[in-house]
Amino acid sequence: MHLLLVEDEKSLADIIKRGLEEEGYAVDVAYDGEEGLFMAQNEPSDLIILDIMLPLIDGLAILKRIRKKGIRTPVLLLTARGTVADKVTGLDDGADDYLSKPFSFEELLARIRALLRRDADVKTAVIGVEDLTIDMASHQVHRGGREIQLSAREYALLEYMALNKNKALSRTALSEHLYDHDFDLDSNVIDVFINRIRNKVDRGFQKSLIHTLRGTGYMLKE
Ligand code: CA
């Protein structure tokens, strides 16, 4: 999953980015409102974490402008002020959730997971695809009752495919959701990851869940 973080407090932004990357998310950071608005409008992401108090353009103004443009990416607002008026304005202007500073990293993660699930229409933290289960909270993956060990990147790729099960996913889409925009894209990387995941998820099972779509990409299929 690919997140955009708009936060001007550099030390906080860096801590959040590092923590989210450890969880397997790809994270781009904008350090002021102008850069944040530009990236929200021009770079696809799965979720925007948006601070309200920002230099140049504030978070609520960014939110209004991207919603007016029809961008429906889920937005989690960060508010230092924590006033009821801010929260109401934010939610009315199209925010999906908010978090008051200071917050715990665990709560931030739980809210991100909830918003990403909501977008994918998955109600609980456990996604099932046939006898494969993926627990988005613990990152544990089981197939046929057996635990499967995946690296953070492998997990992130499988989770994204599970949230979009039965949909064709191009290599470009997969890498956009897995890497930040600084990553120099080589589409072979996705093939390498898919092969590794296949060896762990499908090998030894009668039914393959990961399908190659010739000329298109991949699909995790029930
Ligand atoms: Ca701020």
Side-chain angles (χ1 to χ4, degrees), residues 1 23-25 127 134 141 150-165 169-179 187-198 201 210 218-220:
M1 287 288 178
E23 291 290 316
Y25 295 107
I127 316 167
I134 297 161
V141 176
L150 298 172
S151 71
R153 282 283 188 219
E154 290 163 5
Y155 173 82
L157 182 55
L158 182 64
E159 182 194 85
Y160 182 71
M161 293 180 82
L163 284 168
N164 294 283
K165 63 183 175 187
L169 300 167
S170 68
R171 286 175 182 83
T172 311
L174 290 170
S175 42
E176 273 175 4
H177 288 280
L178 284 179
Y179 294 100
S187 62
N188 286 336
V189 172
I190 294 296
D191 298 335
V192 170
F193 274 113
I194 291 279
N195 277 334
R196 283 194 211 153
I197 297 170
R198 251 189 190 139
V201 169
I210 298 168
Y218 295 100
M219 184 192 287
L220 187 66

Side-chain angles (χ1 to χ4, degrees), residues 11-70:
S11 55
L12 178 62
D14 292 347
I15 289 169
I16 295 175
K17 177 179 162 74
R18 204 176 322 131
L20 291 174
E21 284 175 346
E22 280 169 14
E23 291 290 316
Y25 295 107
V27 184
D28 281 314
V29 183
Y31 295 104
D32 65 56
E34 216 166 69
E35 195 187 1
L37 178 63
F38 178 83
M39 288 172 80
Q41 286 180 336
N42 296 291
E43 316 264 15
S45 62
D46 299 296
L47 175 82
I48 302 171
I49 304 166
L50 183 59
D51 189 28
I52 291 183
M53 299 278 274
L54 290 169
L56 305 179
I57 305 172
D58 75 60
L60 292 175
I62 293 175
L63 177 63
K64 255 190 189 160
R65 284 164 72 169
I66 62 174
R67 289 295 185 248
K68 213 171 165 185
K69 279 206 149 186

Side-chain angles (χ1 to χ4, degrees), residues 7-9 51 53 101:
E7 168 61 76
D8 59 311
E9 285 169 60
D51 189 28
M53 299 278 274
K101 291 180 182 174

Side-chain angles (χ1 to χ4, degrees), residues 88-136:
V88 170
T89 308
L91 292 170
D92 279 348
D93 284 345
D96 297 271
D97 200 0
Y98 62 83
L99 198 52
S100 300
K101 291 180 182 174
F103 51 82
S104 75
F105 192 68
E106 287 308 307
E107 185 175 6
L108 175 67
L109 287 178
R111 284 174 190 263
I112 290 171
R113 285 195 297 269
L115 289 173
L116 293 175
R117 281 204 304 275
R118 196 160 80 187
D119 209 34
D121 208 19
V122 177
K123 299 292 174 235
T124 70
V126 180
I127 316 167
V129 183
E130 301 269 343
D131 57 347
L132 177 73
T133 59
I134 297 161
D135 187 325
M136 290 175 71

